[in-house]
Amino acid sequence: MVEPIDVLNFTVLGVNVGAFSRWALVLIMFGMGLNLMPKHFYYIFSNSKAFFAGLLGQILFLPLIALMVVAIFMPSPEVSVGLFIIACCPGAATSNFITYLARGELALSISLTAASGMVTIFTIPFIINMALHFFEFADTNIRLPILTTIWNIATLTAAPVLVGIIMNMINPDVAFRLQKLVSSLSFFALLTVMYLTAIEVKSAISSIIELAFAPVFLMNTVMVCTGLLLGQGLKLRRKEIVTLGVEVGFQNYILAIVIAIDLLGSFLMSIPAIIYLFCMYFSASFLVGWSLVFGLED
């Protein structure tokens, strides 16, 4: 049994890491809004096949992949729910940066990240409550209040994106100058959260790996492959294929941890998100390496 570790409620040098993580998430989403321009919304209509394939992969296929992984490994109910939490979270804003490094289609990446962030505000509470009921948490106090969840996710994700979009519309020059600064700060904040989380859980890392590494690693691998295969099956351009691999395979792990610990009060449910953080960057290295070796010119 893993001793509970609240990765959202510990301090380093007097700084509450949980508060830092939430502000990091807000900063990341604000930076994504600063990058959104009318051409990204136009992309949805001019390249609807690639866009809707990616959105379908995130919204529909990922919960099915989580169900498949649970059926294979049959982990504890808490870890199983944690897998579903990861699966129904929106794409991570860092996927835009990884797409850039992997020479993917940045407009498609930003469009998908923004759209999934809006849609999953409403799908997350329903899917997770279904998972809680399926794994027999319905008779306990562990429930995800729908309206409260929608509000919490909206304030952490949709609201900062909208602020960034509005700033971009009102003063594009200021937004452009802020983009590089916010992107750099966001990337630094993510690395900081990842490092501090690793330090906090290192004493329990062997138990955490034993509990959930195999199912989480498989889920992330299948998620990335699903995105790539969707693009390949639809005969998309190679830039779009690698973008779908990133967008379908990269989920907002900070939001998943917030949902598990803050909203559901369960450290065990946050374990898949903690492991997923490291698996996600492993698969990112593969995608970036693949694109650099084979090129994505077409």
Side-chain angles (χ1 to χ4, degrees):
M1 186 67 179
V2 182
E3 183 179 343
I5 302 172
D6 189 343
V7 292
L8 289 180
N9 191 29
F10 67 97
T11 59
V12 176
L13 299 177
V15 177
N16 184 285
V17 175
F20 180 82
S21 299
R22 294 180 192 89
W23 280 110
L25 177 57
V26 169
L27 181 66
I28 291 165
M29 302 311 290
F30 172 65
M32 190 181 71
L34 289 174
N35 283 280
L36 280 170
M37 295 179 284
K39 70 177 183 180
H40 296 124
F41 297 99
Y42 173 73
Y43 192 97
I44 295 173
F45 301 102
S46 61
N47 299 270
S48 58
K49 184 165 68 171
F51 173 79
F52 285 109
L55 195 60
L56 181 70
Q58 287 187 318
I59 304 302
L60 178 62
F61 289 172
L62 295 193
L64 294 177
I65 291 171
L67 186 62
M68 176 199 75
V69 171
V70 167
I72 292 172
F73 289 96
M74 291 186 289
S76 69
E78 290 86 358
V79 170
S80 297
V81 172
L83 291 171
F84 276 93
I85 293 173
I86 282 289
C88 67
C89 275
T94 47
S95 64
N96 308 146
F97 180 67
I98 300 302
T99 297
Y100 170 76
L101 292 180
R103 302 178 183 178
E105 184 59 71
L106 195 56
L108 174 61
S109 175
I110 294 173
S111 302
L112 279 171
T113 304
S116 67
M118 299 298 178
V119 173
T120 53
I121 289 174
F122 304 100
T123 59
I124 283 173
F126 291 100
I127 293 175
I128 294 179
N129 275 334
M130 286 176 62
L132 289 170
H133 180 78
F134 183 81
F135 293 105
E136 300 182 350
F137 287 101
D139 296 331
T140 72
N141 292 325
I142 303 180
R143 293 293 301 277
L144 201 60
I146 292 176
L147 293 179
T148 302
T149 303
I150 290 174
W151 172 254
N152 284 333
I153 295 173
T155 55
L156 285 171
T157 58
V161 169
L162 290 175
V163 171
I165 293 173
I166 292 169
M167 180 173 287
N168 203 356
M169 293 172 62
I170 293 174
N171 197 326
D173 292 334
V174 172
F176 180 76
R177 287 196 293 268
L178 278 174
Q179 282 174 17
K180 288 188 177 180
L181 174 62
V182 172
S183 295
S184 299
L185 289 174
S186 299
F187 187 64
F188 172 76
L190 274 175
L191 290 178
T192 302
V193 171
M194 183 169 67
Y195 175 74
L196 294 177
T197 301
I199 294 299
E200 181 66 10
V201 303
K202 69 177 182 180
S203 61
I205 195 67
S206 59
S207 299
I208 288 174
I209 289 174
E210 184 180 351
L211 268 177
F213 176 77
V216 173
F217 182 80
L218 177 63
M219 188 169 80
N220 179 243
T221 302
V222 174
M223 287 160 66
V224 172
C225 291
T226 297
L228 295 174
L229 290 173
L230 274 173
Q232 189 70 40
L234 292 172
K235 301 186 187 317
L236 300 177
R237 295 182 301 123
R238 291 180 70 184
K239 283 181 175 290
E240 294 172 327
I241 292 173
V242 76
T243 302
L244 291 191
V246 174
E247 285 297 320
V248 177
F250 279 57
Q251 304 306 99
N252 196 326
Y253 73 91
I254 295 180
L255 180 60
I257 292 174
V258 169
I259 290 172
I261 293 179
D262 267 10
L263 301 183
L264 292 173
S266 173
F267 163 70
L268 289 176
M269 290 181 187
S270 74
I271 285 177
I274 294 170
I275 297 176
Y276 185 85
L277 158 63
F278 301 98
C279 292
M280 191 169 67
Y281 285 99
F282 175 81
S283 58
S285 301
F286 166 77
L287 286 170
V288 172
W290 177 67
S291 68
L292 292 176
V293 171
F294 295 101
L296 300 171
E297 292 82 6
D298 60 329

